[in-house]
């Protein structure tokens, strides 16, 4: 239609550009961040046995005021995450926990746009895994 400025690069009369800090912010619920973290923990581990409880996470999100945000003035958010999981045994527990820690931090930062200064991994239970041809007796 003539008189409308809907083409790229054109501005409509009477509309002003709002600076980023004044536009508002997207808030992501803590439970959503916890679901992202739980899913990321599952992605970092091999498939669990049928009777295993899937990894679950609890999250504490700290929201900083808009004045103390990033370089563009937008607020920054950080999430401290605790992931509880079950692992197969024998395994390198430290290496598995490190993989989970790294993957959870990367996924939460990428998907939720939050800084993740801490991911605590709690191993609640170990499942004895038997390889093919392994004895099914007591493991030392």
């Amino acid at each position: 239609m003539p008189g409308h400025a809907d083409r790229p690069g054109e501005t409509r009369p009477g509309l002003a550009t709002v600076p980023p800090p004044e536009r508002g912010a997207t808030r992501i619920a803590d439970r959503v961040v916890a679901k992202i973290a739980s899913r990321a923990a599952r992605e970092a581990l091999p498939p669990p046995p049928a009777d295993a409880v899937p990894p679950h996470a609890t999250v504490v999100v700290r929201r900083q005021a808009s004045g103390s945000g990033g370089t563009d003035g937008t607020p920054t958010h950080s999430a401290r995450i605790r992931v509880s999981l079950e692992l197969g045994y024998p395994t390198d527990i430290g290496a598995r926990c490190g993989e989970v820690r790294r993957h959870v931090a990367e996924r939460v930062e990428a998907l939720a746009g939050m800084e993740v200064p801490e991911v605590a991994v709690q191993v609640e239970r170990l499942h004895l895994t038997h390889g093919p041809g392994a004895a099914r007796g007591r493991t030392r």
Side-chain angles (χ1 to χ4, degrees):
M1 292 175 82
H4 286 280
D6 289 333
R7 290 183 204 100
E10 294 182 13
T11 59
R12 292 183 182 179
L15 292 179
T17 303
V18 179
E22 296 176 16
R23 288 184 202 154
T26 302
R27 279 195 109 167
I28 299 174
D30 295 6
R31 63 187 162 87
V32 173
V33 179
K35 286 182 180 184
I36 292 170
S38 297
R39 176 67 184 251
R42 282 192 298 275
E43 292 171 356
L45 295 171
D51 63 338
V53 175
H56 60 277
T58 56
V59 175
V60 175
V61 176
R62 301 200 193 290
R63 291 168 171 75
Q64 297 177 353
S66 58
S68 62
T71 56
D72 62 355
T74 57
T76 57
H77 307 299
S78 64
R80 297 195 183 279
I81 300 170
R82 176 175 297 278
V83 178
S84 299
L85 49 87
E86 298 181 8
L87 294 176
Y89 182 82
T91 190
D92 184 344
I93 297 170
R96 288 281 185 215
C97 290
E99 291 169 15
V100 168
R101 201 174 287 116
R102 279 186 295 280
H103 193 67
V104 167
E106 289 172 3
R107 297 299 285 162
V108 170
E109 287 174 8
L111 297 174
M114 296 181 170
E115 296 174 2
V116 183
E118 177 185 349
V119 177
V121 178
Q122 176 179 343
V123 178
E124 291 187 346
R125 193 167 106 177
L126 298 173
H127 293 278
L128 187 60
T129 57
H130 296 285
R136 299 213 179 242
R138 185 174 177 181
T139 301
R140 293 181 185 236

